[in-house]
Amino acid sequence: MDDPLIIRGIEFKSRLWVGTGKYKNFEETARAIEASGTDVVTVAVRRVNIIDRSKENLLDYIDPKKYKILPNTAGCYTVEDALRYARLAREAGVSDMVKLEVIGDEKTLFPDVCGLLKATEILAKEGFIVFPYTNDDPVTAKRLVDAGAAAVMPLGAPIGSGLGIRNPYNIKIILETVNVPVIVDAGVGTASDVSQAMELGCDAVLVNTAIAGAKDPIMMAQALKHAWIAGRLAYKAGRIPKKLYASASSPIEGMLT
């Protein structure tokens, strides 16, 4: 589909971005990534050995010529930790991009938006291309953009829940509020959730558990690949208005009496 997403001059061909956690092994991870058709792969800096390349590493299974690596600060509960791991990834030569997470609650894994705003501002000033993972609050999304975010990544539902997009109206308001790409992250459970996000007008969707946790991760990756394309096409085509009452599909003029 010739409809690239451009962020800070970087072209993304796929609007389905994928995570790399929870797979059985690196081989399965690589096969799922390939099946998804993505060109963006996010890796948790805290959980992946990106410094010592002499040991087996997830990055050995991801061709840097084919995929853009998006380091993330998953598992960071403080601004200081998030900054440290973002800087580590850049110093290791992984990327200037960072999916920024500052988690505020261990049970829900909801973001600490105060810490997120602070970390976004600091990293943006240091030249990072920041993709903050946030809640579905339009006010926070606007403030993240003001702080220098290159895009915003509102959750559809809690991480790993598979509940789908719980509040599509907030996502719509975020789309109308910010002037940067909106990438739904977290909560996606299956293909229809991806399609819904794209039909709302979101610019991309990031998925991990929906693929890694499926009975057949490779098949689910293929399903989500088709889902984002279908949703994007439907969004661009423009859906019909919803009505309370029926309207005939065929014109009534010229009918036999």
Side-chain angles (χ1 to χ4, degrees), residues 57-250:
N57 192 304
L58 173 62
L59 298 183
D60 296 333
Y61 293 81
I62 304 172
D63 183 353
K65 295 180 181 177
K66 187 174 182 180
Y67 302 106
K68 299 174 181 65
I69 309 300
L70 176 60
N72 70 63
T73 61
C76 292
Y77 285 81
T78 68
V79 172
E80 291 72 23
D81 273 354
L83 296 177
R84 179 152 52 94
Y85 284 103
R87 291 164 179 160
L88 270 175
R90 182 159 76 173
E91 289 170 8
V94 178
S95 179
D96 290 333
M97 299 188 296
V98 60
K99 180 199 163 192
L100 182 62
E101 294 187 25
V102 182
I103 300 301
D105 178 67
E106 191 171 351
K107 183 176 181 180
T108 62
L109 299 180
F110 285 143
D112 170 0
V113 295
C114 294
L116 189 66
L117 283 163
K118 184 177 180 181
T120 296
E121 185 173 16
I122 293 171
L123 291 174
K125 287 180 178 177
E126 293 180 7
F128 281 89
I129 301 171
V130 185
F131 299 81
Y133 161 72
T134 183
N135 56 26
D136 58 2
D137 172 27
V139 175
T140 301
K142 176 65 168 57
R143 289 181 177 172
L144 286 167
V145 175
D146 294 341
V152 291
M153 305 184 75
L155 56 80
I159 293 172
S161 67
L163 291 172
I165 298 176
R166 294 293 81 198
N167 197 334
Y169 301 104
N170 271 26
I171 298 295
K172 285 290 289 184
I173 295 172
I174 290 173
L175 285 162
E176 294 176 1
T177 301
V178 302
N179 58 358
V180 299
V182 175
I183 302 165
V184 165
D185 179 16
V188 168
T190 189
S192 56
D193 299 333
V194 172
S195 185
Q196 182 188 19
M198 299 309 299
E199 289 181 38
L200 285 170
C202 295
D203 296 279
V205 181
L206 194 153
V207 177
N208 189 163
T209 305
I211 298 176
K215 290 182 180 178
D216 187 329
I218 310 307
M219 191 179 296
M220 182 59 80
Q222 293 173 325
L224 301 195
K225 172 184 175 180
H226 294 294
W228 86 255
I229 294 172
R232 180 67 178 172
L233 286 172
Y235 169 71
K236 296 185 73 173
R239 64 157 296 137
I240 63 170
K242 294 181 180 179
K243 298 177 182 177
L244 183 59
Y245 295 104
S247 58
S249 299
S250 301

